[in-house]
Amino acid sequence: MTDSDGIPVPHGRGRQLQVETHGLDVIGDAERKGTPRTLFWPWFGANVSVLGLSYGSFALGFGISFRQALAAGVIGIVFSFLLCGLVAVAGKRGSAPTMVLGRAAYGVRGNRLPSVISWMLTVGWETVLCALATMATATVFGRLGWGGGTGTKVAALVLVGALTVIVGVMGFDLIMRLQTVITVVTGVLTVVYIGLVADDIHWSTVDALPAGSAQQFIGALVFMMTGFGLGWVNAAADYSRYLPRTSSSAGVAGWTTFGASLAPLLLLVFGLLLAGSSGALGEAVAADPIGALTTLLPTWFLVPFAVVAVLGLVGGAVLDIYSSGLALLSAGLRVPRPVAALADGVLMIAGAVYIVFVADDFLGPFTGFLTTLGVPIAAWCGVVLADLALRRRDYAEADLYDPRGRYGDVPLTPLLLTVAATALGWGLVTNAAASWLTWQGYLLGPFGLGGTSGDWAYANLGVLAALATGFLGTLLLSRGRVRRQESGAPAGAADPGLTVV
């Protein structure tokens, strides 16, 4: 077994903490450990962020009632994280990172296109989370009278960025340990936060919110999908690849879905109640999603709140920077994994600087980012899940790295299908809040959906259309290709001298 430069990696290192040298290579049986339930910790820790409270305001911003927003949130969160759980099964079956396993569907070099898209999405997410942690810290310090201006933001950005980059560079073992700590600390402090602001909930006000249309409900549901599970599907196998091959597939899917969904569901309910009780809070959240939540707190809890906010956001950013480094390697960059993670960390900090110090609006660009990249990622997810469903055997791991192997080099069918699904999806979404994305929605008129100003304009049907097109198209067009692949040499353990492509 080798790392991303073909350097041999020793087996059986135990639990000593050190920089992970694994890159795109297959994890050997001697290093695979744990049970499916251990997946609970990284997924819960990555999604326990108090940002989940702000999604209550985002959902109600679609003009729907509390009950509609709750239904949209529950369906969107659970279904999208179930997609993650299903993709995670591929990690157990193939022992390699998510974007390497995608080569079975896209070919060894053909997979570079979705790898680039995956890299953009994970870098974007880690940038957003880093920026939110910085703004939240500045808001807390401002309320305490300790500053809160440019100096505070710079110091917070340096601290958050350094923590995220260091853990991402160190790799799997430190991530798993950190996520366990984040889960416990953030979970306890979040419960305290809920208890402190419970008096700000006014059920009569929440219950009086008028119901919205079916189109508005679908728009909120799709937003929840892109904001939660669809933002993680391209990294879902990066942690399950360390589990023993004999692990239960149902357990892998179930613990991933449960761990990732639990905190967002609880936080969403409370966030809906808070936002529904105060229109002013909803408006403030759009500008500063985390910092706005401090306005309800007593002064003595501001520092603990800063801790819970920063840790929760860092938990998500750490998983993103780890997976973005792997995606960058899969896109063709030939450097060790720690170097790739470090490079992504530099981009993350640069992007966070823009969001914190230059941009004057958060929610508009954020929505545009989620929806625009959510379309091709949904198409990719559909292709990969259908490809996984068609397979009756584990991956032939050596062929995942050989353009002459059974998975091929640049097969046209999955690439053209992804491009077509993306074109269809972008034609059915709109992003008026982001001026550089006004070209989208070009199919709403021809399809009789009222154009970019009609009732369906903000339903974001394109994400669902891309997911369905990728999935159904692969089932119809790739069945024979998969059967030919599986009729080749038996899938076995990776060649110990395997060199990563």
Side-chain angles (χ1 to χ4, degrees), residues 30-67:
E31 295 182 85
R32 295 166 73 106
K33 52 188 177 289
T35 62
R37 69 170 59 92
T38 60
L39 293 173
F40 174 87
W41 300 107
W43 287 109
F44 186 91
N47 291 283
V48 71
S49 166
V50 291
L51 179 61
L53 292 168
S54 298
Y55 272 86
S57 176
F58 298 157
L60 293 177
F62 281 85
I64 56 181
S65 69
F66 168 79
R67 291 177 179 81

Side-chain angles (χ1 to χ4, degrees), residues 169-458:
V169 168
M170 288 295 292
F172 180 80
D173 279 341
L174 183 55
I175 288 174
M176 294 297 283
R177 298 185 191 188
L178 177 67
Q179 295 299 74
T180 302
V181 174
I182 288 176
T183 296
V184 175
V185 174
T186 307
V188 171
L189 292 179
T190 300
V191 170
V192 176
Y193 174 88
I194 290 174
L196 289 174
V197 302
D199 289 341
D200 291 281
I201 294 175
H202 306 291
W203 174 247
S204 59
T205 304
V206 174
D207 191 47
L209 292 173
S213 65
Q215 295 93 328
Q216 291 169 309
F217 172 80
I218 294 173
L221 186 152
V222 173
F223 181 81
M224 289 294 173
M225 290 177 57
T226 56
F228 287 99
L230 280 180
W232 288 111
V233 288
N234 54 314
D238 294 350
Y239 306 94
S240 56
R241 66 185 173 130
Y242 277 89
L243 292 175
R245 299 176 192 276
T246 55
S247 300
S248 164
S249 294
V252 170
W255 280 103
T256 298
T257 305
F258 177 63
S261 299
L262 181 59
L265 288 173
L266 297 175
L267 292 169
L268 174 69
V269 173
F270 202 75
L272 287 171
L273 293 172
L274 285 176
S277 300
S278 171
L281 176 64
E283 294 177 3
V285 164
D288 185 359
I290 305 297
L293 300 174
T294 66
T295 59
L296 306 176
L297 288 172
T299 302
W300 66 266
F301 192 71
L302 289 176
V303 171
F305 177 82
V307 172
V308 71
V310 170
L311 282 179
L313 294 167
V314 166
V318 162
L319 262 66
D320 277 318
I321 197 171
Y322 180 76
S323 294
S324 70
L326 294 174
L328 189 57
L329 297 180
S330 184
L333 184 66
R334 291 178 173 270
V335 298
R337 184 206 61 79
V339 174
L342 182 61
D344 287 347
V346 173
L347 291 175
M348 173 192 74
I349 293 173
V353 167
Y354 174 80
I355 294 175
V356 173
F357 297 103
V358 179
D360 55 3
D361 175 33
F362 171 80
L363 187 56
F366 178 58
T367 302
F369 160 73
L370 287 181
T371 305
T372 299
L373 288 185
V375 168
I377 285 296
W380 171 88
C381 183
V383 170
V384 168
L385 285 180
D387 179 84
L388 181 63
L390 289 171
R391 297 188 182 278
R392 299 295 177 262
R393 307 174 66 183
D394 288 348
Y395 297 97
E397 292 165 352
D399 286 347
L400 291 171
Y401 304 88
D402 185 1
R404 297 164 299 180
R406 71 186 68 190
Y407 301 122
D409 190 11
V410 187
L412 290 180
T413 298
L415 289 170
L416 292 176
L417 179 61
T418 302
V419 170
T422 299
L424 172 64
W426 279 341
L428 296 174
V429 300
T430 58
N431 285 292
S435 59
W436 55 283
L437 294 173
T438 53
W439 54 270
Q440 294 177 352
Y442 45 81
L443 294 177
L444 290 169
F447 283 11
L449 297 174
T452 56
S453 59
D455 292 339
W456 289 97
Y458 300 102

